[in-house]
């Protein structure tokens, strides 16, 4: 039993580590690819389409070689999920374009409380006071180190609302679909990635043209840009797989908290690799955020132990009831038990 727990803990840490490393790596690769000082590839939606296309190919190869098994999920659910996921990606791109960076960061911070409320509405899930307090500390910390100017306009506000709601719903749906159809994270991803890739590769160039005023067909590819795109797509496979793994193993709220850990890592690496400014306000915010994440980890573990202590008592009372019903059943129908024994023999 202890060996199983240890193995599970190692797997959990591996999933977290894969997500943090691949997410931070892809942000750094995209920064080099999309910045004016890099390759100026300003087609975010099309690039995401490339990401899902490569992920879909990896999934198809995995299914063909027997590495992963394909389980049935209704097509309408896969299409619905893919539409929500792509709405999330497009909404985030529009939100970043129409809003100030400060308001964009606030909209991202609002995802944790939105996920909590949506899980309460959809799944009647409740959170302890300690978990709520730790989430508030994380949000305050990340807000201090990332939010600067805050300017709001109606179009930007509506896009931010759509982005936050669709992203929250998508992340909750990942866990729900895995449990509903007893399907693994990679198997689910291999089913949704082709649909997402198809939508993004068709509609992405139009979205990018609206956002940047440039056509991807007019972009002059260089060998450096191609290598950067291939690196970004490769990291995206690990990023997508680890996202599904983390949400399947934990929850959408935990994944959001992890996301803010990535924000801290990106700010630090930006300072180390790209000479980005790191002020005292940034450092204070990062410290508060990390403290909040430590408190969150402790609160979730305490909640698990509390649930584990209450479950045995509930089970004992249920067992007594089951014994009483079983005795009543034996007294009332002894012949059925004999017939069943003969049939089995």
């Amino acid at each position: 039993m202890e060996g199983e727990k240890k193995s599970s803990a190692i797997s959990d840490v591996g999933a977290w580590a894969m997500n943090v490393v691949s997410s931070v790596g892809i942000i750094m690769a995209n920064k080099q690819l999309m910045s004016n000082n890099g390759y100026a590839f300003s087609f975010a939606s099309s690039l995401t389409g490339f990401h899902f296309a490569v992920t879909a190919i990896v999934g198809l190869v995995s299914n063909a070689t027997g590495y992963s098994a394909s389980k049935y999920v209704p097509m309408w659910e896969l299409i619905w999920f893919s539409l929500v996921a792509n709405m999330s990606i497009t909404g985030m791109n529009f939100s970043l374009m129409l809003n100030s960076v400060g308001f964009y960061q606030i909209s991202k911070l609002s995802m944790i409380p939105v996920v909590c409320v949506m899980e309460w509405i959809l799944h009647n899930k409740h959170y302890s006071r300690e978990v709520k307090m730790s989430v508030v500390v994380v949000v305050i910390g990340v807000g201090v180190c990332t939010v600067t100017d805050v300017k709001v306009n109606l179009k930007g506000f509506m896009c931010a609302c759509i982005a936050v709601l669709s992203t929250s719903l998508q992340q909750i749906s990942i866990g729900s679909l895995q449990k509903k159809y007893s399907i693994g994270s990679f198997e689910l991803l291999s089913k949704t990635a082709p649909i997402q890739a198809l939508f993004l590769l068709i509609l992405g160039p139009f979205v990018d043209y609206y956002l940047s005023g440039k056509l991807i067909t007019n972009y002059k590819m260089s060998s450096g840009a191609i290598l950067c795109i291939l690196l970004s797509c490769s990291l995206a496979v690990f990023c997508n797989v680890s996202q599904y793994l983390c949400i399947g193993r934990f929850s959408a709220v935990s994944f959001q908290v992890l996301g803010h850990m990535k924000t801290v890592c990106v700010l630090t690496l930006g300072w180390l690799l790209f000479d980005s400014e790191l002020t005292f306000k940034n450092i204070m915010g990062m410290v508060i955020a990390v403290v909040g994440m430590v408190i969150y980890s402790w609160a979730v573990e305490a909640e698990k132990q509390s649930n584990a202590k209450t479950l045995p008592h509930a089970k004992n009372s249920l067992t007594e009831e089951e014994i009483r019903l079983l005795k009543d059943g034996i007294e009332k129908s002894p012949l059925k038990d004999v017939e069943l024994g003969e049939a089995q023999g």
Side-chain angles (χ1 to χ4, degrees):
M1 192 72 177
E2 288 181 7
E4 286 179 8
K5 285 184 180 178
K6 190 175 180 182
S7 176
S8 177
I10 292 169
S11 299
D12 293 348
V13 171
W16 285 126
M18 188 198 297
N19 189 259
V20 171
V21 172
S22 59
S23 298
V24 173
I26 202 172
I27 289 168
M28 294 297 143
N30 289 352
K31 190 176 176 105
Q32 179 64 27
L33 178 66
M34 302 180 81
S35 68
N36 291 326
N37 295 328
Y39 297 104
F41 184 86
S42 56
F43 309 101
S45 298
S46 298
L47 180 62
T48 309
F50 298 157
H51 290 169
F52 280 107
V54 173
T55 304
I57 291 167
V58 171
L60 289 170
V61 171
S62 177
N63 286 334
T65 54
Y67 178 76
S68 58
S70 181
K71 290 188 177 180
Y72 174 74
V73 179
M75 182 55 71
W76 72 267
E77 291 218 51
L78 294 175
I79 293 172
W80 172 83
F81 173 84
S82 299
L83 285 172
V84 171
N86 287 347
M87 195 184 296
S88 159
I89 294 163
T90 308
M92 280 296 178
N93 288 339
F94 273 101
S95 176
L96 185 58
M97 182 192 79
L98 296 170
N99 296 310
S100 65
V101 175
F103 185 75
Y104 174 75
Q105 287 295 342
I106 286 176
S107 68
K108 286 181 73 177
L109 290 173
S110 71
M111 281 182 201
I112 292 183
V114 169
V115 167
C116 290
V117 171
M118 288 181 78
E119 286 202 316
W120 172 62
I121 293 169
L122 296 173
H123 303 301
N124 197 29
K125 188 170 183 178
H126 297 274
Y127 297 92
S128 65
R129 185 180 59 182
E130 291 80 9
V131 169
K132 291 173 186 174
M133 285 173 60
S134 64
V135 164
V136 169
V137 174
V138 172
V139 169
I140 289 170
V142 177
V144 167
C145 66
T146 59
V147 175
T148 50
D149 60 313
V150 179
K151 295 175 184 175
V152 188
N153 60 76
L154 183 60
K155 281 185 181 178
F157 179 76
M158 288 177 67
C159 285
C161 288
I162 291 168
V164 169
L165 289 172
S166 56
T167 303
S168 302
L169 184 59
Q170 180 234 357
Q171 292 181 357
I172 292 169
S173 299
I174 290 172
S176 299
L177 286 172
Q178 287 187 49
K179 288 173 185 173
K180 186 176 180 180
Y181 296 103
S182 301
I183 188 171
S185 52
F186 186 72
E187 286 77 14
L188 179 60
L189 179 60
S190 64
K191 285 182 174 294
T192 57
I195 303 170
Q196 286 186 253
L198 185 65
F199 281 128
L200 286 170
L201 290 174
I202 293 171
L203 300 176
F206 297 101
V207 174
D208 290 331
Y209 179 73
Y210 182 81
L211 292 172
S212 65
K214 299 174 184 176
L215 286 170
I216 192 170
T217 50
N218 294 336
Y219 180 77
K220 293 180 181 178
M221 282 284 183
S222 64
S223 56
I226 292 168
L227 284 172
C228 223
I229 290 170
L230 289 173
L231 175 61
S232 181
C233 290
S234 301
L235 288 167
V237 175
F238 291 100
C239 186
N240 288 329
V241 170
S242 60
Q243 178 188 6
Y244 281 55
L245 269 174
C246 288
I247 295 175
R249 284 175 173 271
F250 306 100
S251 68
V253 175
S254 296
F255 185 75
Q256 281 295 326
V257 172
L258 174 72
H260 295 311
M261 183 66 209
K262 289 180 281 189
T263 302
V264 172
C265 291
V266 168
L267 285 171
T268 307
L269 285 174
W271 172 63
L272 291 171
L273 301 176
F274 297 101
D275 295 324
S276 299
E277 186 182 3
L278 197 64
T279 63
F280 177 74
K281 178 172 166 283
N282 295 140
I283 295 167
M284 279 299 297
M286 286 192 282
V287 170
I288 293 168
V290 170
V291 169
M293 289 168 203
V294 171
I295 297 170
Y296 178 81
S297 301
W298 166 79
V300 169
E301 192 59 35
E303 197 172 48
K304 282 181 184 175
Q305 290 178 0
S306 176
N307 290 339
K309 285 178 182 176
T310 55
L311 278 173
H313 298 295
K315 183 63 186 167
N316 286 339
S317 61
L318 181 65
T319 305
E320 287 168 10
E321 182 68 16
E322 286 173 348
I323 290 169
R324 186 182 65 77
L325 290 170
L326 186 61
K327 283 179 179 177
D328 289 346
I330 290 170
E331 287 170 5
K332 289 176 184 176
S333 56
L335 290 175
K336 287 184 179 177
D337 290 341
V338 173
E339 288 168 0
L340 181 63
E342 289 174 355
Q344 288 175 342

